[in-house]
Structure formats: C-alpha cells, structure tokens
Amino acid sequence: KQEVTQIPAALSVPEGENLVLNCSFTDSAIYNLQWFRQDPGKGLTSLLLIQSSQREQTSGRLNASLDKSSGRSTLYIAASQPGDSATYLCAVSWGSARQLTFGSGTQLTVLP
Amino acid sequence: KAGVTQTPRYLIKTRGQQVTLSCSPISGHRSVSWYQQTPGQGLQFLFEYFSETQRNKGNFPGRFSGRQFSNSRSEMNVSTLELGDSALYLCASAKFLADQETQYFGPGTRLLVL
C-alpha cells in the first residue's frame, strides 16, 4: 500500500533556529512530491514541488530534498520566524500527477 | 489573478440529507480535484476532473459524486449524509495535466453533519 509518513507530528522551536521536517514514502516510483503549508482553518499553500527526476528544490528560506531510493524527503527551513508557524504537509503522487497521497503533517510552532 | 473559490464556506446539515459543494478554479485551469480532510483520516483524495471527464476516483462510497461543467467549475455531491462526513472539503485546480505542475487549493468548505 502506498503511504506517506511524517515525523514528528509536532515540533516547537525558538525563533531563528534552522529546522528539518521529515517525510517518508513506501513506493519509490513517484511522479512528484510536494510540500504544502496549512494555516489553521484554511486551505493549502504549495511551497515546493520536486519532480521524480530532481534531487532538490529551493525557494527563499526553504529547501526540499528528495531521495527516491530511500523513500525520503526533507524540508529544511532556515532562520525560522514566528510566521512560519503552521502545519506542513508532504504529498506524493504515484499513479496520477493530481492524485496526491498526503502525510498526516507536522505542526510547527516557532516561538518568538 | 483570483484564486480557487469554494462555496459555501460553512454548512450545517443533518443525517440523511444531501449536500452540494461548488468549486470555481483559477481562470484558465481545466483540472479540478477534490479532497476530504478529517482529524482522524487526514487528507484523502476524492476525485479529479479534467475537461468535464472524471479521470480518477478515490476510495469513497458511491454517495460521493461530482461533475465538472464546460466552464471548468465543479460540484461535488454527498447524498444520505452520515456523521462521519463532517469534514473540510478542499478543491484544487491545475492548468494542464503535466506531472510537474503544482495544484492550487481553495479555502475549503467546512461541513458539519448533525
């Protein structure tokens, strides 16, 4: 069964710290992997999309890596800010690019 | 450019009723997908439409159905509502079918079934 797992479920860090969020998936034959952010009571905002042929993507303070052979992706956030507080979701597409399988998310709190 | 819009934003229904939710994709986008988000199951794929055709369907009972119109707007319908259908329903749009294309999510419709 194709599954996505995110650990830890919650993370609290002081402002300014660099941090890593983890995502693992069970089947390496992916189309792409995406990281999303969800603020309480709101929809999802796409942060980064990594195609199956890529190893990493960067956007500002965010860097996402992909290692298909080990079934892992990491989201690195540099110099965290209180505004980064949100739930971060990892999503993988296998059979169809738009049929995403989501992890359960990591709830991040950045303390001022 | 306007984002994905969903109506209504909040809805309260009772068991046994049916409900229709609407999603208007970003202008020019032809693909619309629907997801259900609950505290227990997380985000789960419902179905995807492209150019009025259902392309994929998730593992949900037949009570869940959808359609897409010629203007790419989409509706999903849930009949004979159950308490467990209480959830945030999210729709996402994309322009084409490209694998490298991200999806843009709407704010969701929060459905409460009493």
Side-chain angles (χ1 to χ4, degrees):
Chain A
K1 182 180 175 185
Q2 294 165 330
E3 294 182 333
V4 179
T5 304
Q6 290 185 251
I7 296 173
L11 181 64
S12 184
V13 300
E15 181 177 4
E17 192 163 296
N18 301 326
L19 60 101
V20 174
L21 305 181
N22 296 297
C23 171
S24 61
F25 47 92
T26 53
D27 181 346
S28 63
I30 68 172
Y31 273 144
N32 60 45
L33 182 146
Q34 298 183 62
W35 284 93
F36 292 89
R37 167 186 173 142
Q38 186 174 32
D39 293 284
K42 298 193 176 179
L44 277 62
T45 301
S46 177
L47 298 173
L48 290 164
L49 181 152
I50 310 178
Q51 299 175 51
S52 62
S53 59
Q54 298 175 321
R55 294 298 300 270
E56 67 176 347
Q57 281 286 345
T58 299
S59 176
R61 295 182 294 109
L62 305 179
N63 176 276
S65 68
L66 173 64
D67 184 344
K68 288 194 302 179
S69 62
S70 65
R72 292 181 183 179
S73 175
T74 61
L75 178 66
Y76 174 84
I77 303 178
S80 58
Q81 304 170 357
D84 295 330
S85 298
T87 296
Y88 289 80
L89 294 151
C90 169
V92 177
S93 62
W94 279 286
S96 161
R98 276 144 311 285
Q99 183 169 345
L100 298 175
T101 300
F102 283 85
S104 53
T106 295
Q107 185 175 2
L108 173 66
T109 302
V110 181
L111 303 169
Chain B
K1 145 170 136 172
V4 178
T5 58
Q6 292 187 245
T7 56
R9 292 293 312 279
Y10 303 93
L11 205 50
I12 300 175
K13 291 286 187 178
T14 56
R15 278 180 299 174
Q17 287 186 310
Q18 75 165 17
V19 67
T20 299
L21 311 181
S22 180
C23 171
S24 292
I26 292 172
S27 177
H29 285 196
R30 295 163 64 190
S31 167
V32 174
S33 300
W34 288 89
Y35 292 83
Q36 180 197 64
Q37 186 175 30
T38 60
Q41 299 297 319
L43 271 154
Q44 295 183 286
F45 172 79
L46 280 157
F47 25 66
E48 180 213 351
Y49 288 87
F50 183 84
S51 293
E52 302 179 66
T53 301
Q54 185 179 90
R55 291 180 50 84
N56 292 291
K57 190 177 191 316
N59 189 25
F60 278 82
R63 299 186 296 108
F64 292 80
S65 63
R67 58 179 176 170
Q68 186 179 33
F69 301 95
S70 58
N71 62 358
S72 293
R73 189 177 70 86
S74 177
E75 289 181 346
M76 67 162 283
N77 183 276
V78 188
S79 62
T80 318
L81 284 166
E82 300 176 0
L83 295 180
D85 297 333
S86 295
L88 180 66
Y89 290 87
L90 295 164
C91 105
S93 77
K95 198 167 188 178
F96 300 119
L97 297 177
D99 293 345
Q100 69 272 22
E101 186 183 11
T102 192
Q103 298 181 66
Y104 297 87
F105 281 78
T109 293
R110 188 166 295 280
L111 171 65
L112 176 61
V113 182
L114 302 176

